[in-house]
Amino acid sequence: MTMAERDRHLDVLTGRLAGLLHPGGPAPAPGPITLVTGPVGAGKTTLLQSFARRCAEAGVTFLGASASRSERTVPLEVVRQLVRRATVADADRDRVGRLLDQAVLRWGETADEEALAPLTAAIGGELLELVARAPAVVAVDDVQHADAPSLRCLDHLTRRVTGLPVLIVLTEAPRTRPWQPTAYAELLQPARLHRLRLPLLTADGTHRILADRLGAPVARRIADEAYRISGGNPLLVHALADDHPADAETPTPGEAFREAVLSCLYRCEHLVLKTARALAVTEEPLHGPLLPHLVDLPSELNLHAVDAATSAGLVDADGLRHPAVRRAVLDGMTVEERARLHRAAAQLLHDDGAPPPRIAPHLLTADELAEPWMAQTLLDAGEQALADGDVDTGRRYLRRANRDCADECLRARIRSALARAEWRLDPQGAVPHLLGIATAVRAGHLDTRQAAGPIQYLLWHGQIGRAMELIHHLGERADGADARSAGDLMIIKGWMATLYPGVPLDAVAAPAGTTRDPLALARVRHRLRGVLLLDTVLGRGDLGALENAERTLGTLGLDDEPNMWSAVCAVIAMIYADRLDLAGEWCDRLDRIASARRHRTPRALLTAVAATVAGRRGDLRRARELAESALNRLSPKGWGVVIGAPLAIRLWTLTCLEEWDEAAACLRTPVPPTLFETPFGLHYLHARGVHALAAGSPEAALADFQLCGQLMTSWRLDQAPLVPWRTESARALLRMGRRQQAEKVVREELDRLRPTDLRYRGAALRVLGTVQEGAERIRHLRCAVRLLRQCGDRVELARALGDLGQAQQQAGDLRQARSTARAARDLAEECGIPVLRPTAAGRATAPDPASDAGILLTGLNDAESRVAALAAQGHTNREIAERMFLTVSAIEQRLTRIYRKLDVNSRSELAARLRLDR
């Protein structure tokens, strides 16, 4: 082992050896005993071995012995080792052996020191005879563990070697108390003692060992952290070197380190081992109030003997010096030992009135929750952890409480809180608890406030019937005098009406007196801030309410479900009001809060909302990434009915990007039937209709759009910001050739739109422009472009510009048409739209020889069908590119794909195929 920072100590011993061989030196010889003191693992044994080699080189007899805790009750064991190593005749060895055997028997019979004095003198004399024949060194390692008779004999020897060429070297580790205090004190009298202290390594010494073991480059990287972990204990430093993997940037304590820590503790006093175990379990400072009781000491004062010296550097005033040391100590304990200490610590803390978060960690390992207070403590600590945002910890506490709690009422409260914890991490995890919670509500074990969260989870998962049953039950049980419970019931009904606007809740009347209580009403309005704001923006179009939205969000956290829902509703209100900049900013703020609290479910929902914001801004690739990220945060079942939100925006963006395979896979994602009873289902139907229309199925698209209209009308939510189903229906009707119906529907939409609905008015005018001709067509399209620019709808604006460019081209204004088409292409590239084409209606009504381009060919999408028709009619690639506002290269690539799909080799074959399909 490397002798880092031990050379000076070895030189001191070597100097004493030189004084032994040359006694006539100028300096007076110190006492005959040299005592090397240092913590366990500090290198005392290594130093003694190095000194033994120097004695051998100098021709000095070295008699060595090693004491141990396991043999300190064996009389004269240390003396036997010294005799065994002496060079004597066999007859002398046998004689001394018989004397030792006789002494062992006598020491077993009596403890009278005076009666045993002659034997001590006889054995001491024999030792003196052995060492006085020539220069000799008598060395005992770990002398603190030596047996009492051996200490007496060594004391006898020490008194008589003055003036003889004999040096006695002893090593000891600091101890909390001597094993044999009287004999030990007599042997180590200060007058005859030269003490040599062996401290723990410095940071530089740690670096030297690591450099010797692992090389200088590695040592430079890990030395500082290795010093913090080991405290400078050489044994631990070498263990870290043994564990260090190649190319690792930091020390990695492993098996060797664990064994080294346990070796140090087992070689220290038993009090140190017990203290280390108690500290590992409680993670408290050394002189905290629990430790004296856990290590069975009557007073804290006894623990002052435990310090860095007596504990091999493993313990300091703050407790165990490093988490790696704590892990090693815990690994060295049995499960029963850890459970006993945790149980004792929990009981002590409870008796002292400690808060539940301090007690709960100790109850996690308890065999059973035998006392009634234990489950309650875990519940309180779990709810506090949830309030603090530490969901993982709260869930562990609540799961442990739920496993052993026998009280039905308390168990119901625990399961309600546990469902809340599971829902925040993955809503699917809350499902197993909901049936038991429903039973508890019916049994009266949970009040309205405690049942509110589980009812929301039932609604999230589409279990409307069960949620309605619980709401009815709570309504029948509600006390009119209890304004708080009645208010809670009103809040639940408010959230349900938002999520399921078609479900009748009039049968559940609020208890009498609730609506007349101003405090109760204020509380209800406070908890439903987001819902009321959404209703104000969507129902009345009051954009001034957005000032309240920011104030609402500024005072909301994500610490509970009502706040989270309020925050999401407030952001959705901003989206419906077309304040996308504000909505995006608040999505980012709220996501940071949810991320800091590690709430996966709120983060997933906020990511879906952010995807909607990006999509409405025209950032299609960003919208797709966010939607996919949202869907990946939770399992499909975990999303419940809310899956409609991220699935709708992902399907819509994939359709806009013409990524047909992924869009088809998106459509194959299973959704719950109850999705279509929620506003999320409207967005999903809208996205599915847009995809069907782009894929050449206008009938299916029209069915989806009209279903949206039926639902919205029945829910009394027929507002374009929710879903512009009339405009989309008009697009589908145009594709089907039903032009008059399309115009009627879109004009109806324009009559219903409010002055603030710029986005939807612009989209409707674009559709109206496609059914008009000449100057009217251009006028409507220009108005659509102006409105879409104003509201920032870049995707629809790019398409409106494309339609306007085609209309200008057909009107003969080629210069303006080229400018408009260029602007359309540039904007389409910014949005990521791969193909920009005029509307089918524009092609059908214009005096264009390529009117057959409106036909859809089997196996081709809309864009490919138009290219195929134009190519079959004899148009060159450049002409087709100009008509479709694309590059010549893009047309060539599309033709290659068309030939491959239709299995044709020329334009003539393509024309024949086109005639066949017609």
Side-chain angles (χ1 to χ4, degrees):
M1 185 177 288
T2 304
M3 293 287 291
E5 298 185 338
R6 301 296 182 252
D7 295 336
R8 180 179 63 82
H9 304 85
L10 183 58
D11 291 342
V12 171
L13 292 176
T14 305
R16 296 224 61 188
L17 179 63
L20 183 70
L21 296 175
H22 307 286
I33 298 179
T34 299
L35 179 65
V36 180
T37 303
V40 170
K44 301 183 297 296
T45 302
T46 302
L47 178 65
L48 200 59
Q49 292 170 349
S50 299
F51 180 58
R53 288 191 290 271
R54 293 201 174 181
C55 290
E57 293 170 359
V60 175
T61 301
F62 186 88
L63 302 182
S66 179
S68 68
R69 181 188 289 116
S70 61
E71 294 176 340
R72 61 187 180 183
T73 58
V74 180
L76 298 172
E77 174 58 28
V78 171
V79 173
R80 282 186 187 275
Q81 292 184 47
L82 293 174
V83 172
R84 194 178 299 122
R85 288 171 173 78
T87 304
V88 295
D90 292 340
D92 292 337
R93 191 184 304 278
D94 292 341
R95 176 175 53 78
V96 175
R98 287 193 296 274
L99 177 61
L100 293 176
D101 292 340
Q102 179 186 358
V104 169
L105 292 175
R106 289 293 307 277
W107 254 289
E109 294 171 355
T110 179
D112 186 355
E113 295 287 345
E114 293 184 3
L116 296 172
L119 274 175
T120 302
I123 295 171
E126 292 292 344
L127 283 176
L128 184 62
E129 179 68 23
L130 291 176
V131 301
R133 298 173 180 176
V137 172
V138 177
V140 179
D141 196 13
D142 286 333
V143 71
Q144 74 274 6
H145 294 310
D147 58 280
S150 293
L151 291 174
R152 295 289 185 186
C153 294
L154 287 172
D155 178 51
H156 182 90
L157 173 66
T158 303
R159 295 174 187 276
R160 290 161 178 79
V161 296
T162 302
L164 298 177
V166 176
L167 177 63
I168 299 174
V169 180
L170 310 175
T171 71
E172 70 161 0
R175 58 214 178 279
T176 58
R177 55 183 179 178
W179 164 244
Q180 295 289 344
T182 303
Y184 204 75
E186 290 183 2
L187 172 63
L188 301 180
Q189 295 179 25
R192 64 172 72 158
L193 191 66
H194 176 69
R195 188 179 295 272
L196 190 60
R197 300 189 183 277
L198 204 65
L200 295 172
L201 298 174
T202 64
D204 182 63
T206 302
H207 178 271
R208 286 175 55 191
I209 289 181
L210 293 174
D212 182 69
R213 291 287 309 276
L214 304 174
V218 175
R220 279 194 297 271
R221 290 201 307 268
I222 71 171
D224 291 341
E225 182 63 21
Y227 179 68
R228 281 190 289 271
I229 295 173
S230 66
N233 187 304
L235 183 63
L236 301 185
V237 176
H238 281 281
L240 289 174
D242 292 336
D243 287 330
H244 190 70
D247 301 328
E249 294 297 325
T250 58
T252 308
E255 184 65 21
F257 182 81
R258 185 185 72 84
E259 291 178 355
V261 169
L262 296 179
S263 173
C264 288
L265 288 176
Y266 292 147
R267 288 160 58 193
C268 292
E269 299 292 321
H270 190 59
L271 175 61
V272 174
L273 176 61
K274 291 173 64 177
T275 301
R277 287 175 171 174
L279 291 172
V281 166
T282 62
E283 296 186 75
E284 292 209 339
L286 175 61
H287 301 298
L290 294 182
L291 266 295
H293 303 284
L294 293 178
V295 298
D296 301 325
L297 291 179
S299 169
E300 178 189 352
L301 296 176
N302 298 70
L303 286 176
H304 284 291
V306 179
D307 56 16
T310 57
S311 67
L314 299 175
V315 178
D316 55 25
D318 294 328
L320 294 177
R321 68 168 299 106
H322 194 273
V325 174
R326 177 177 180 265
R327 289 193 296 270
V329 175
L330 290 175
D331 288 345
M333 300 171 64
T334 64
V335 174
E336 292 76 13
E337 287 173 334
R338 291 199 297 270
R340 179 186 62 80
L341 282 173
H342 277 298
R343 189 166 51 249
Q347 186 67 57
L348 288 169
L349 289 169
H350 174 71
D351 294 342
D352 289 343
R358 279 198 66 197
I359 305 173
H362 300 295
L363 295 175
L364 288 176
T365 60
D367 298 332
E368 59 178 349
L369 303 181
E371 301 292 333
W373 60 267
M374 293 182 173
Q376 181 65 56
T377 298
L378 285 168
L379 171 60
D380 294 341
E383 290 184 327
Q384 183 62 52
L386 293 183
D388 294 339
D390 191 353
V391 183
D392 290 322
T393 299
R395 183 173 61 168
R396 286 200 302 271
Y397 293 159
L398 295 168
R399 281 181 173 179
R400 182 66 189 88
N402 184 56
R403 193 164 68 240
D404 276 357
C405 182
D407 183 86
E408 289 298 326
C409 290
L410 182 59
R411 185 181 179 85
R413 291 173 53 202
I414 292 170
R415 297 196 74 170
S416 176
L418 182 56
R420 185 162 74 251
E422 297 284 4
W423 184 87
R424 291 185 187 181
L425 296 177
D426 186 353
Q428 187 62 22
V431 172
H433 305 288
L434 297 181
L435 179 60
I437 292 172
T439 303
V441 171
R442 287 191 292 269
H445 296 324
L446 293 176
D447 59 23
T448 309
R449 180 178 58 86
Q450 294 161 344
I455 289 175
Q456 287 180 345
Y457 310 146
L458 289 170
L459 296 175
W460 175 283
H461 287 290
Q463 299 184 30
I464 306 174
R466 187 169 292 169
M468 283 289 294
E469 179 190 350
L470 295 183
I471 293 175
H472 279 286
H473 180 81
L474 292 171
E476 293 171 356
R477 202 179 69 192
D479 183 2
D482 185 1
R484 184 177 184 86
S485 296
D488 288 333
L489 186 60
M490 292 177 67
I491 294 170
I492 295 173
K493 291 172 62 179
W495 285 114
M496 185 167 186
T498 303
L499 192 57
Y500 293 93
V503 176
L505 287 172
D506 297 337
V508 187
T514 302
T515 55
R516 294 194 297 269
D517 187 337
L519 292 178
L521 282 176
R523 178 173 172 270
V524 170
R525 284 194 296 269
H526 179 77
R527 298 298 273 179
L528 293 177
R529 285 172 292 177
V531 171
L532 297 174
L533 179 65
L534 183 58
D535 180 67
T536 301
V537 171
L538 190 59
R540 299 198 299 271
D542 183 5
L543 301 189
L546 291 182
E547 297 179 4
N548 295 331
E550 288 210 85
R551 286 197 295 270
T552 296
L553 288 169
T555 59
L556 283 178
L558 300 177
D559 53 338
D560 62 10
E561 284 64 47
N563 278 347
M564 190 275 292
W565 282 111
S566 285
V568 170
C569 285
V571 176
I572 292 175
M574 294 175 179
I575 294 175
Y576 287 153
D578 240 358
R579 289 298 307 275
L580 301 181
D581 53 344
L582 204 57
E585 179 184 341
W586 277 105
C587 278
D588 293 340
R589 289 191 194 179
L590 294 171
D591 183 70
R592 285 194 293 270
I593 296 173
S595 176
R597 292 174 174 266
R598 298 189 295 276
H599 290 181
R600 285 204 296 268
T601 301
R603 283 201 73 191
L605 190 53
L606 287 166
T607 304
V609 175
T612 303
V613 173
R616 292 195 175 212
R617 282 175 167 172
D619 191 350
L620 297 181
R621 293 189 177 89
R622 175 67 174 161
R624 181 186 60 183
E625 291 173 3
L626 288 171
E628 290 173 353
S629 175
L631 288 167
N632 291 332
R633 290 186 189 278
L634 302 176
S635 62
K637 287 187 176 181
W639 270 103
V641 298
V642 188
I643 196 172
L647 208 56
I649 188 62
R650 183 167 187 263
L651 177 58
W652 181 80
T653 54
L654 290 173
T655 301
C656 292
L657 295 170
E658 294 190 1
E659 297 182 7
W660 306 111
D661 292 339
E662 289 191 50
C666 190
L667 282 170
R668 290 193 294 271
T669 302
V671 296
T674 47
L675 167 66
F676 302 103
E677 299 184 46
T678 71
F680 303 112
L682 297 177
H683 294 293
Y684 179 77
L685 285 171
H686 173 252
R688 192 172 71 179
V690 170
H691 176 268
L693 190 61
S697 301
E699 294 85 357
L702 182 61
D704 281 340
F705 298 144
Q706 289 180 339
L707 179 56
C708 282
Q710 293 169 10
L711 292 173
M712 293 165 65
T713 302
S714 66
W715 297 345
R716 298 180 182 178
L717 290 175
D718 190 4
Q719 300 293 339
L722 188 57
V723 170
W725 67 272
R726 289 183 178 83
T727 300
E728 299 295 355
S729 296
R731 295 185 203 272
L733 289 168
L734 281 173
R735 187 65 62 85
M736 296 165 63
R738 295 157 63 177
R739 179 174 171 179
Q740 290 182 345
Q741 280 184 272
E743 183 175 358
K744 178 182 177 181
V745 171
V746 78
R747 288 191 181 278
E748 182 183 351
E749 177 81 323
L750 287 168
D751 291 339
R752 293 177 57 87
L753 288 173
R754 297 169 299 205
T756 55
D757 296 332
L758 303 183
R759 175 186 298 266
Y760 311 101
R761 185 172 296 278
L765 285 172
R766 179 194 163 216
V767 175
L768 184 61
T770 61
V771 299
Q772 300 293 318
E773 296 180 1
E776 282 296 304
R777 181 184 184 195
I778 293 177
R779 183 175 67 83
H780 289 313
L781 289 174
R782 280 178 174 166
C783 187
V785 166
R786 178 176 56 81
L787 292 174
L788 293 170
R789 273 204 180 102
Q790 190 174 345
C791 71
D793 188 348
R794 298 194 301 162
V795 172
E796 192 68 15
L797 174 60
R799 291 168 175 166
L801 285 169
D803 289 349
L804 179 58
Q806 187 206 27
Q808 290 168 338
Q809 182 186 35
Q810 292 172 351
D813 190 355
L814 299 182
R815 180 177 179 183
Q816 189 63 39
R818 283 194 295 271
S819 175
T820 304
R822 188 181 305 111
R825 283 196 301 271
D826 292 344
L827 189 55
E829 289 178 3
E830 289 179 15
C831 297
I833 302 175
V835 177
L836 186 64
R837 52 188 175 273
T839 60
R843 295 193 301 270
T845 59
D848 189 346
S851 59
D852 281 343
I855 296 173
L856 284 174
L857 299 180
T858 303
L860 303 183
N861 60 36
D862 192 7
E864 291 170 343
S865 295
R866 178 165 170 74
V867 172
L870 292 170
Q873 292 165 1
H875 293 281
T876 66
N877 289 353
R878 182 170 297 280
E879 289 172 341
I880 298 172
E882 290 176 353
R883 288 174 178 271
M884 296 189 67
F885 305 107
L886 293 171
T887 64
V888 175
S889 175
I891 297 300
E892 291 172 350
Q893 294 173 13
R894 279 164 175 73
L895 275 174
T896 301
R897 288 199 298 270
I898 290 167
Y899 284 2
R900 184 174 65 251
K901 287 183 177 181
L902 300 183
D903 193 22
V904 297
N905 298 312
S906 66
R907 294 185 181 230
S908 59
E909 292 183 15
L910 184 61
R913 176 63 183 271
L914 177 61
R915 287 193 296 274
L916 223 71
D917 280 8
R918 289 185 60 185

